[in-house]
Amino acid sequence: MVYYKLTAVVTALCYNIRIYNYNIFNGDFMTSTSEQKHDIILDSAFYLFSTKGFYETKIAEIAEHAGVAKGTVYLYFSSKEELFKEMTRRNFDEFLDGLSNELTRSSSFAEKLNKIADHHLSYFYNMRNHTRIFFQGLNNDPEFMEVMFHHIENYVNLVTNVMESESINESKLHAKAFVGMLENYKMDILFTKSFTKDHLNQRVDFAVKLFMNGCKR
Amino acid sequence: MVYYKLTAVVTALCYNIRIYNYNIFNGDFMTSTSEQKHDIILDSAFYLFSTKGFYETKIAEIAEHAGVAKGTVYLYFSSKEELFKEMTRRNFDEFLDGLSNELTRSSSFAEKLNKIADHHLSYFYNMRNHTRIFFQGLNNDPEFMEVMFHHIENYVNLVTNVMESESINESKLHAKAFVGMLENYKMDILFTKSFTKDHLNQRVDFAVKLFMNGCKR
Amino acid sequence: MVYYKLTAVVTALCYNIRIYNYNIFNGDFMTSTSEQKHDIILDSAFYLFSTKGFYETKIAEIAEHAGVAKGTVYLYFSSKEELFKEMTRRNFDEFLDGLSNELTRSSSFAEKLNKIADHHLSYFYNMRNHTRIFFQGLNNDPEFMEVMFHHIENYVNLVTNVMESESINESKLHAKAFVGMLENYKMDILFTKSFTKDHLNQRVDFAVKLFMNGCKR
Amino acid sequence: MVYYKLTAVVTALCYNIRIYNYNIFNGDFMTSTSEQKHDIILDSAFYLFSTKGFYETKIAEIAEHAGVAKGTVYLYFSSKEELFKEMTRRNFDEFLDGLSNELTRSSSFAEKLNKIADHHLSYFYNMRNHTRIFFQGLNNDPEFMEVMFHHIENYVNLVTNVMESESINESKLHAKAFVGMLENYKMDILFTKSFTKDHLNQRVDFAVKLFMNGCKR
DNA sequence: AATGAATGAGCATTCATTCAT
DNA sequence: TATGAATGAATGCTCATTCAT
C-alpha cells in the first residue's frame, strides 16, 4: 500500500498534557470504565508518541504505560495507525477549542493577535520539559493527511476570521504569515533549554508588533 | 537508547532535484565510476526518502531505483541512517550555497528579502510534482540532530546578517519571523495542486511587504 | 568485539536425550504450557545444535522442529546465543547431577573410577546414533566461556575428590589424566559405526586398569 | 547441503607458527612467487582461523593480513572451506613430521613416551600466547571429516607403533589413552595464563609415569 | 596474475495483531 | 471485557564469490 503522502509537522501544533489516570473510584453503578480506559490509552499514546515518535513507540509500551494488556488496546482502537490518528484528532480539537474560547473573550485586534500568539507559544512552552515533540506522521496514509489538512485549515480559518473582522485584505495570506512566525518561534522553545516565560512573552509581543507594523528600521 | 530528540520539519527545507545520472562522458584519463555511484545512490535515497519517509523506504528499493545491488549501497554508506544523514547534509548544503550566492548579487534590503523568499519558495516549488516532502528525521539520533541544528542555524544566520546589514534591532527575531512566514507558505505549495508560479510570486511579494510594513488595515 | 577465546570441545561432554515432549497429562488445576514450551525449544535446540553446529543451525529450523513459530523462540530466549548457552548449561548440569548421584552409591576406589568411566562413555554412547556431536561453542563470548570453564572445573573437581578420598597425591593431575583417557575413547564411540556396548565396557575396564596399574608390559 | 557430520576438536591438535612472510628477494629468474603467495595466504589463514575461528574469520581479513587482494585468495584456493582444509592438512603434517623425526632419535620406551608427551604439549605451549586455539571445524563437510580422521589415525598409529615395539597388548587402546591424557593437559596450557615451561615438564613426566606405573596410592 | 568493485542469497530479530481462555 | 502467549511477515545487513579491467 503506497498512499499519497503525508504531513506531520503540524502534528506538533497541538498538544495537551494529561496525567496518567488511575481509576480512583468505581461505584457499582458507575459506568464509563470503558470510556475511561479509552482515554487512558489515548493519554499514554500521546505521551509516548510525542516523546519517541510513531515508529519508535511500540504498542506494548503504550499498553504498559496505560496499565492495560496489549490486547486491550485493540478493543478500543483498531490499529496502531488508528490510535495515532485519534490522538492527533483529540489534541488538535483541544488546541482549537482553547483558542476559540480565548478569542471570544478578546476585544481589540492587537489583543486578539496577542491571544493567538500567546496560546500558540504557551501551548508548546507548557509541555517543553514534559514531552518532546514529534515531527512525524503517517506519511503514506491519505486519511491521516486529510485529518491534518482539516485541522490546519481550521486553525488558519480561525486566524483568518480575526483578520477579516479587522477588514484586512488578503486575510488568509496574512493569517498564514502570522501563524508561520509563531511556528518558527516554537522551535526556539523546543530546542533552547534555557528558554523562559519571559522569552516567550517577548516573542509574543515581538510577533504582534512585527505583524502590525513591519520591521523597525 | 533514547537520545535527546530531533527535529525534522526542516529537513524539508532543503531539496534539490537530481536526475538518474548516466555517465555521458568520461575523459580519457579518468573515470569516477565510484564517485558517480555514490551520487546516484544519494539521488535515489533523496527521491525515495522524500517521497515515502525514512521508515517507509527500504534499502532494497533505493538499490533498485539506483540500479545497483543491495550490497552496493553498503559499499558507499555504512547504514541506512548514515545514508539518510548524508542526503540531508547534501541537500542543506546545496540550498544554502544557492541562497548565499544569490544574496551576493543583491543590493537593496527589499531585493535581498525578495531573493530569500524567492529562493525558499522556488526551491520547493521546483520539486512539487517531482517528490513529496517528508517531515521526518532520525528522532533519536543525536548526531543527526546536531547536523540539523547546525544547518538551521546557518540559514537563520544568513538571514540575520541581512537584517543586521540594515541595522535592524533584534535581527535574529526578525530573521526567524521572516523564515517562518515562508515556511508556512511552503505548505500551500506542497498541498495545493493548483499552485502556480504566479501564486508563488504573489506570496514572495506579499511576505516581503508584510515583513517591511506590517499588515495593511 | 573480539573477546578472549573459548573452548567448545567439552560442550560435547554433556548430552542427554530428550524426546519431543507432548503433554500427556495435565492435572486439573495446573498447566505449565509455557514451561513445557521452554523445554521443548531447548530440546530442539539441543538436537539441532548438536547435529549441525551453532552456525549451521537456523532459528527457523529450531522453531520448526519444536513445532512453534519463529517468534516464539524469542519469547523464551533473548537470542540465538542465549539459547545455545541455556542448552549447554542444562546439559552440563544433567551430566554432572547424574554422575554425582552415581558416585554416592559407589564404595571402593575401583568402583568409583568405573562409575566415572561408565557414566562418561555411556553418556555419549546413548546418543551416538541419535545426534552427532559438535565441537563448537561461542568462541568470542566471554560469558559462555565462563560457563564452560565452570562446568569443566566442576567435573574435574568431582573426579579430583574421588582421588583425594583415596589419598592420592597430585589428585588434580590424576583426575585430568583420567578424564583425558575417557575423552579420547569417546572419539571411538562417535566415529566408529560398529561400536557396541561390549566395546564400551571393554574400554571402561581398560581405562580403570590402566589408570590404576599402568601399562602392562 | 547437509553432510554427515564433522569433528573439529582435533583441529587444535596441530599448529605451527609462521611469520608473515615477505618476499625479500626475487631474482629475475627466481620463480615461485606464486608458491610463496600460496604459503603466505595459508599462514594468514592459520593465524586468523586459529585466533578467531572459522566463521568469525572473513576472507577479506585473511587477504588483508596476507597483503593480497581478496580475489587473489581465490586464485590459490577455490573456497573458504578449501582454504581451511588445506591449512588443517599442512598443520597436521608438520606436527606429525616433527614427531616422527623425534621418535627416530629416541631409544628407550620411557624416552619415546617422553618425546611424544613433550612434543604434544610443547607444540601448544609454543603458541599459547601467539594464537588462540579453535575447536571448530567444518561440521557438515564430509571431506573435511575424512581429512581429520586420517590425521588422527596417523597420530594414534605412530603412538601405537611405539606401544607395539614394546610388545604391549591392546596397543591401540594404550595409545589412545596416552594421547587422551596429553590432550587434557593441553587444556591447562591453553586456559591457564600462568602456565610455565616447568609446569609443562612436570606434566610430561607425570603423564609418562602415570601411564607406565599407574596411580600411586 | 592480480585486483577490488559489485553482487545477492541468506538470516536473526522485531513487533503489530490475533484469539483461546 | 480483558488478557498475553503465539504468530509470521517483513527487512537491514553481511560476506563469500565473481569478473571486468
Side-chain angles (χ1 to χ4, degrees), chain A residues 44-97:
Chain A
S44 297
F46 166 70
Y47 178 74
L48 288 165
F49 280 145
S50 66
T51 303
K52 321 186 2 166
F54 180 77
Y55 287 98
E56 288 83 359
T57 300
K58 315 302 169 195
I59 286 288
E61 293 173 326
I62 294 175
E64 192 191 21
H65 188 271
V68 300
K70 249 186 305 176
T72 307
V73 173
Y74 285 87
L75 291 177
Y76 294 93
F77 304 92
S78 61
S79 71
K80 191 185 179 186
E81 276 74 16
E82 197 51 48
L83 175 55
F84 187 81
K85 285 184 222 165
E86 288 293 350
M87 179 212 72
T88 304
R89 243 188 294 272
R90 193 185 67 171
N91 289 334
F92 262 112
D93 284 347
E94 288 176 351
F95 179 83
L96 283 183
D97 286 354

Side-chain angles (χ1 to χ4, degrees), chain A residues 13 95 99 112-122 124 155 159 163 175-190 195 200 203-208 210-211, chain B residues 173 176-181 184:
Chain A
L13 264 177
F95 179 83
L99 178 58
K112 283 177 180 165
L113 291 181
N114 225 288
K115 286 286 183 186
I116 294 169
D118 187 62
H119 185 262
H120 193 128
L121 296 184
S122 293
F124 293 101
Y155 183 29
V159 180
M163 301 296 166
K176 283 172 182 173
F178 191 57
V179 170
M181 290 179 187
L182 304 176
E183 273 293 289
N184 227 8
Y185 288 143
K186 182 187 77 184
M187 295 294 175
D188 287 350
I189 297 177
L190 299 174
F195 200 93
L200 187 154
R203 271 158 185 77
V204 169
D205 288 345
F206 186 88
V208 173
L210 175 58
F211 181 78
Chain B
L173 285 182
K176 284 173 180 170
F178 190 57
V179 170
M181 291 179 184
N184 226 10

Side-chain angles (χ1 to χ4, degrees), chain B residues 5-216:
Chain B
K5 196 78 280 247
L6 121 88
T7 157
V9 180
V10 219
T11 310
L13 264 177
C14 293
Y15 279 90
N16 67 325
I17 303 167
R18 278 157 185 281
I19 313 296
Y20 187 99
N21 216 324
Y22 286 108
N23 197 3
I24 274 79
F25 177 72
N26 264 332
D28 285 358
F29 298 115
M30 58 87 57
T31 12
S32 53
T33 311
S34 106
E35 198 178 319
Q36 278 177 72
K37 218 157 247 179
H38 177 276
D39 286 352
I40 290 173
I41 293 170
L42 224 39
D43 294 342
S44 296
F46 166 70
Y47 178 75
L48 288 164
F49 280 144
S50 66
T51 303
K52 322 189 356 167
F54 180 77
Y55 288 100
E56 290 82 359
T57 300
K58 313 304 169 195
I59 287 288
E61 293 172 325
I62 294 174
E64 192 189 22
H65 187 272
V68 300
K70 244 185 312 173
T72 306
V73 173
Y74 287 88
L75 236 46
Y76 293 92
F77 304 94
S78 60
S79 70
K80 192 183 178 187
E81 277 75 16
E82 198 51 49
L83 175 55
F84 187 81
K85 285 184 221 169
E86 288 292 348
M87 179 212 73
T88 303
R89 244 189 293 273
R90 192 185 68 172
N91 289 333
F92 261 112
D93 284 346
E94 288 177 349
F95 179 83
L96 282 184
D97 285 354
L99 178 58
S100 203
N101 192 31
E102 290 194 54
L103 284 180
T104 320
R105 286 178 277 146
S106 309
S107 50
S108 77
F109 183 51
E111 208 175 302
K112 282 176 180 165
L113 291 182
N114 226 286
K115 286 287 184 185
I116 294 169
D118 187 61
H119 186 261
H120 193 128
L121 296 184
S122 293
Y123 190 73
F124 293 101
Y125 182 76
N126 286 334
M127 60 180 30
R128 75 197 176 291
N129 294 318
H130 201 275
T131 75
R132 297 207 150 301
I133 17 72
F134 53 110
F135 300 94
Q136 194 178 51
L138 268 19
N139 289 286
N140 290 328
D141 185 331
E143 195 194 327
F144 180 76
M145 225 176 97
E146 206 173 340
V147 171
M148 293 295 297
F149 273 127
H150 186 240
H151 279 296
I152 299 171
E153 188 76 4
N154 282 346
Y155 183 29
V156 170
N157 283 343
L158 214 61
V159 181
T160 302
N161 288 340
V162 171
M163 300 296 167
E164 281 174 350
S165 72
E166 203 70 12
S167 304
I168 291 180
N169 289 329
E170 312 262 35
S171 53
K172 206 149 203 167
L173 285 182
H174 275 96
K176 284 173 180 170
F178 190 57
V179 170
M181 291 179 184
L182 304 177
E183 274 293 289
N184 226 10
Y185 287 143
K186 182 187 76 182
M187 295 295 176
D188 287 351
I189 297 177
L190 299 174
F191 299 130
T192 311
K193 291 196 187 281
S194 58
F195 199 93
T196 66
K197 192 73 184 172
D198 280 346
H199 291 126
L200 187 153
N201 291 330
Q202 179 197 17
R203 271 158 185 77
V204 169
D205 288 344
F206 185 87
V208 173
K209 276 178 195 142
L210 175 57
F211 181 80
M212 292 185 76
N213 307 318
C215 64
K216 310 150 213 159

Side-chain angles (χ1 to χ4, degrees), chain C residues 5 9 51-52 55-56 132 135 140 173-174 176 180-181 184-185 188 191 206 211 213-215 217, chain D residues 5 9 51 55-56 132 135 140 149 173-174 176 180-181 184-185 188 191 206 211-215:
Chain C
K5 195 76 288 239
V9 179
T51 303
K52 323 189 358 167
Y55 288 99
E56 289 82 359
R132 296 206 151 302
F135 300 94
N140 289 328
L173 285 183
H174 277 95
K176 284 174 181 172
M181 291 179 184
N184 227 10
Y185 288 144
D188 286 351
F191 300 128
F206 186 88
F211 181 79
N213 308 318
C215 64
R217 281 184 288 176
Chain D
K5 194 66 308 232
V9 179
T51 302
Y55 288 98
E56 288 83 359
R132 296 206 150 301
F135 299 95
N140 288 329
F149 273 128
L173 284 183
H174 276 95
K176 284 174 180 170
M181 290 179 186
N184 226 10
Y185 288 144
D188 287 350
F191 298 129
F206 186 89
F211 180 80
M212 294 185 75
N213 309 318
C215 64

